[in-house]
Amino acid sequence: EIVMTQSPLILSASPGERVTLSCRASQSVSLNLAWLQLKPGQAPRLLIYRASTRASGISDRFSGSGFGTEFTLTISSLQSEDVAVYYCQQYNNRPPATFGQGTKVEIK
Amino acid sequence: QLQLQESGPGLVKPSESLSLICTVSGGSISTSGKYWGWVRQSPGKGLEWFGSIYFGGSTYYNPSMKSRVTISVDTSKNQFSLQLNSVTDADTAVYYCARAPQVWDLFDSWGLGTLVTVSS
């Protein structure tokens, strides 16, 4: 089973700031990496798949990059509505698909 | 617009079975190429993928849970379901159902989730 490790676990930034979240896989997952956004009381939302492809309806403030074992999610200008927990997920070596432990993004 | 809604008991006793149903609206569960799955979020283990099903009946399970999990589909009701046997308090979690439009474990539409507590 592939272990996904995210960093940092908590990220606090000011509105308008550029933020970068990291995700590392224990072995190569090629480009088969997704990013999800979870907010309390809301349905989870797929942001990015195939490492860098934005899902339908997702703001271009969100961008993904990486290949193999190292991936990043960047929010170009942090907004209050971006407060959430972000998870990376690999769907390359499966079953099972596996998730990172999440990065909580807060507003300063 | 596709919507998914989880339903089922919020409280299950240890050693019993947990059964959840996901009702799909705004689209057909029998759409070619779409898979339907279950994911849970628990404090101890974060997000875990349980398994997925195709409307024709093909199933894909998490090997660590395969012995306890059954996922089935009822196309006449546009629903699919999860059964988890022999639950323990470690199975207390928010359970989500979701749709995977391309591969069986990449989900683009999710339900709101339902909290299931395992307690006597």
Side-chain angles (χ1 to χ4, degrees):
Chain A
E1 177 174 313
I2 293 187
V3 177
M4 307 300 292
T5 304
Q6 293 185 239
S7 62
L9 295 183
I10 300 174
L11 189 158
S12 184
S14 301
E17 196 172 335
R18 180 184 181 91
V19 301
T20 300
L21 288 63
S22 295
C23 174
R24 175 176 292 177
S26 59
Q27 59 185 277
S28 176
V29 298
S30 185
L31 288 171
N32 295 312
L33 189 285
W35 290 93
L36 301 163
Q37 179 191 63
L38 270 72
K39 296 181 180 180
Q42 296 188 21
R45 190 161 68 142
L46 175 67
L47 299 176
I48 301 285
Y49 64 97
R50 198 79 175 141
S52 62
T53 302
R54 268 188 298 275
S56 177
I58 300 302
S59 168
D60 59 7
R61 292 187 294 105
F62 293 92
S63 63
S65 64
F67 176 84
T69 61
E70 302 283 344
F71 299 89
T72 59
L73 174 70
T74 300
I75 307 174
S76 62
S77 176
L78 188 67
Q79 307 297 311
S80 57
E81 61 262 32
D82 300 333
V83 170
V85 181
Y86 294 83
Y87 292 88
C88 61
Q89 177 208 341
Q90 70 82 20
Y91 53 98
N92 189 66
N93 295 34
R94 73 306 189 224
T98 51
F99 299 84
Q101 71 272 54
T103 292
K104 185 176 184 179
V105 174
E106 301 173 338
I107 294 280
K108 276 184 185 173
Chain B
Q1 183 180 349
L2 189 76
Q3 290 191 324
L4 298 95
Q5 174 78 57
E6 304 89 352
S7 59
L11 182 65
V12 181
K13 290 183 169 55
S15 79
E16 294 187 347
S17 293
L18 176 165
S19 293
L20 296 174
I21 291 173
C22 182
T23 301
V24 178
S25 58
S28 173
I29 205 168
S30 302
T31 302
S32 178
K34 311 302 184 192
Y35 299 83
W36 308 89
W38 292 93
V39 175
R40 74 179 178 186
Q41 183 180 26
S42 58
K45 281 197 156 189
L47 288 171
E48 285 181 285
W49 171 76
F50 267 88
S52 301
I53 191 165
Y54 192 64
F55 76 89
S58 299
T59 51
Y60 310 84
Y61 291 120
N62 188 324
S64 69
M65 304 177 198
K66 189 174 182 178
S67 63
R68 296 199 294 140
V69 174
T70 301
I71 296 175
S72 57
V73 63
D74 186 336
T75 55
S76 67
K77 295 181 179 178
N78 226 32
Q79 295 175 334
F80 62 105
S81 63
L82 170 72
Q83 180 173 315
L84 179 64
N85 299 323
S86 305
V87 299
T88 70
D89 55 3
D91 294 311
T92 293
V94 175
Y95 287 76
Y96 297 98
C97 62
R99 180 190 75 169
Q102 301 175 8
V103 296
W104 75 73
D105 47 7
L106 175 61
F107 300 107
D108 71 337
S109 295
W110 296 66
L112 287 173
T114 187
L115 175 62
V116 178
T117 301
V118 178
S119 174
S120 54

